[in-house]
Amino acid sequence: MRRTIRTLALDEVETLVDWAAAEGWNPGPGDAVAFQAADPDGFIGAFVDGEMVAGISAVAYGDDFGFIGLYICRPDRRGEGHGKAVWDAGLARLGDLTIGLDGVVEQQTNYRSMGFAPVYRTIRFVGSPDVPAEADSDIHAIGPKLMPDVLDYDSRFFPAPRRSFLEHWLRPPHMALAIVKDGVIEGYGVARRCRDGCKIGPLFSNSLDAASRLFAALAGISGPGNVHLDVPETSGQFAARLTSAGFEPGFETARMYRGKAPQLTQSGVFAITTLELG
């Protein structure tokens, strides 16, 4: 068996996202394009006889921070060392950067042994909200005029600039809204259609009230079906509101870092962007 490790092309990133869908991660149909825009060289695959058998994302955001995700080995090729090979390649690519990941419960002990320390838990909430269509004059679609302010606002809650990613993530068909008061952004969020229903992420805001208003607006324009959010345990009051609205908690992950954990405005993170890219 001869294994080759190399950077993935866009169609191969799309295959990796399809594998994530088969694992029940519920990605969106346009995720691969936005993911690759974050770091075109940040997706790595293992190939045997020309077929991809494992993959991982090892995305570098600037010179100080990276994120590991989409770590999957094809089920029929597990136990052959391909997953370990792409893991090692991903860590080698990110080198001495602070590295984040969202680890499932079953793998957290393994990640700890490799130098990753947990910072907080994240819970997936799923529900079908009955949201009345109410006008909110402070909520606006994010377009070119708001984009610079949104990019600046995002830096409070994410460890590094991610302009290339957000320029795709905030673009239609994704639904991106900001709450603006007296010309100042007080929060923003994005909803996107996924294999099942839609996901909202990120959802960042200055307050619980602003987050709740943005959530209502995003859920209201998302169409029928389930709404999914990955909510940090630091947003317990928001989680309680979701529970009272009929949302149910699902699987949990832990945000873990190798290296110094970033200093962020964690109280304003009501839903993370993605489990795959942070």
Side-chain angles (χ1 to χ4, degrees), residues 188-211:
Y188 91 94
V190 178
R192 75 193 197 279
R193 299 303 301 175
C194 290
R195 302 309 204 268
D196 172 54
C198 82
K199 281 185 182 177
I200 293 176
L203 181 59
F204 299 156
S205 77
N206 295 356
S207 67
L208 176 62
D209 174 68

Side-chain angles (χ1 to χ4, degrees), residues 68-256:
I68 292 282
L70 283 172
Y71 178 33
I72 307 173
C73 185
R74 220 170 67 187
D76 62 318
R77 303 305 299 262
R78 290 174 182 170
E80 300 174 357
H82 307 305
K84 178 66 161 54
V86 294
W87 172 265
D88 289 345
L91 287 186
R93 179 173 192 271
L94 296 179
D96 294 330
L97 275 62
T98 292
I99 303 173
L101 59 78
D102 288 308
V104 297
V105 173
E106 297 78 11
Q107 291 295 325
Q108 288 169 19
T109 298
N110 189 33
Y111 294 142
R112 282 176 186 265
S113 72
M114 291 181 280
F116 288 85
V119 177
Y120 59 81
R121 295 183 307 137
T122 298
I123 311 297
R124 169 72 54 86
F125 280 87
V126 183
S128 298
D130 182 15
V131 179
E134 296 181 358
D136 189 326
S137 61
D138 292 331
I139 294 180
H140 306 271
I142 297 173
K145 185 177 180 180
L146 276 177
M147 179 68 78
D149 291 336
V150 170
L151 293 173
D152 181 64
Y153 187 79
D154 184 79
S155 66
R156 304 182 196 180
F157 309 100
F158 194 78
R162 50 177 180 170
R163 182 187 187 99
S164 297
F165 169 76
L166 288 177
E167 285 180 342
H168 284 77
W169 202 249
L170 302 178
R171 183 186 302 168
H174 291 190
M175 296 155 278
L177 302 176
I179 186 164
V180 184
K181 198 152 190 175
D182 298 325
V184 177
I185 290 182
E186 296 191 348
Y188 91 94
V190 178
R192 75 193 197 279
R193 299 303 301 175
C194 290
R195 302 309 204 268
D196 172 54
C198 82
K199 281 185 182 177
I200 293 176
L203 181 59
F204 299 156
S205 77
N206 295 356
S207 67
L208 176 62
D209 174 68
S212 299
R213 290 164 65 191
L214 274 169
F215 167 74
L218 289 164
I221 63 176
S222 294
N226 287 326
V227 174
H228 306 249
L229 305 91
D230 294 306
V231 180
E233 63 182 339
T234 49
S235 294
Q237 288 182 295
F238 183 63
R241 289 193 180 187
L242 291 174
T243 300
S244 67
F247 279 67
E248 295 186 359
F251 69 89
E252 96 177 40
T253 58
R255 174 60 58 87
M256 308 178 78

Side-chain angles (χ1 to χ4, degrees), residues 8-47:
L8 300 182
L10 177 58
D11 63 319
E12 294 163 338
V13 178
E14 290 172 342
T15 296
L16 189 56
V17 171
D18 287 340
W19 289 359
E23 295 288 328
W25 298 358
N26 194 31
D31 284 1
V33 173
F35 287 175
Q36 194 191 45
D39 180 359
D41 297 323
F43 297 82
I44 300 167
F47 293 79

